Amino acid sequence: MKPALSPDREPLTKTPPAPKWLSEDARGEWKRIMPRLIADRIVTRADLTGIENYCVAVGHVRAIERTFAATGTLDKTLFGMQNRAMQTARQLAAEYGLSPVSRARVGSNAANDDDDDNPLTIGRNRR
């Protein structure tokens, strides 16, 4: 079971600019996700490298897909690279609350003094 995500004690309060070295696709993803991460108060300066890596992986997926579309062929090596980039992006997205399941974890470790009223509690005996 993954630990719940929660607002950090020292979250960033405004979106830092995308690193200049990111590809256009990666910068686009940065601009798309950062407002959400800032609003959820999850990301700190220490997290920026992981977010950069997520954006790079998404950028690779998109660039490879454009190559497939332009050539009309599915290169086995590029397909493997794209698949690994997708897996990496999915794993990193889960770390930062960017997937439906991980978003549900955001703030879920708050003090919980009455589990009985939680309709999402599964497999627990109700009193």
Side-chain angles (χ1 to χ4, degrees):
M1 178 182 227
K2 291 185 178 181
L5 295 171
S6 64
D8 197 276
R9 289 176 293 190
E10 296 180 26
L12 295 177
T13 57
K14 63 183 210 176
T15 302
K20 294 185 187 313
W21 58 267
L22 290 178
S23 70
E24 185 177 332
D25 287 322
R27 259 186 269 121
E29 185 65 6
W30 178 280
K31 291 174 183 176
R32 188 183 75 80
I33 66 164
M34 284 304 285
R36 169 70 185 240
L37 294 174
I38 298 298
D40 286 347
R41 300 174 44 90
I42 292 173
V43 69
T44 67
R45 192 158 288 297
D47 299 316
L48 294 179
T49 299
I51 294 166
E52 290 170 3
N53 291 336
Y54 163 77
C55 293
V56 166
V58 170
H60 287 322
V61 169
R62 292 177 182 160
I64 292 169
E65 191 59 34
R66 273 195 307 281
T67 299
F68 291 153
T71 63
T73 61
L74 185 64
D75 178 90
K76 197 163 133 178
T77 302
L78 283 179
F79 178 78
M81 291 170 61
Q82 185 184 41
N83 189 40
R84 286 187 300 279
M86 286 180 188
Q87 289 172 349
T88 299
R90 186 181 66 243
Q91 290 167 339
L92 289 168
E95 291 292 320
Y96 298 106
L98 296 172
S99 68
V101 171
S102 64
R103 272 194 306 275
R105 291 186 357 233
V106 174
S108 66
N109 72 343
N112 191 0
D113 47 4
D114 190 2
D115 287 344
D116 291 338
D117 292 335
N118 184 350
L120 299 178
T121 302
I122 298 174
R124 294 181 111 181
N125 294 330
R126 297 201 174 243
R127 293 179 200 138

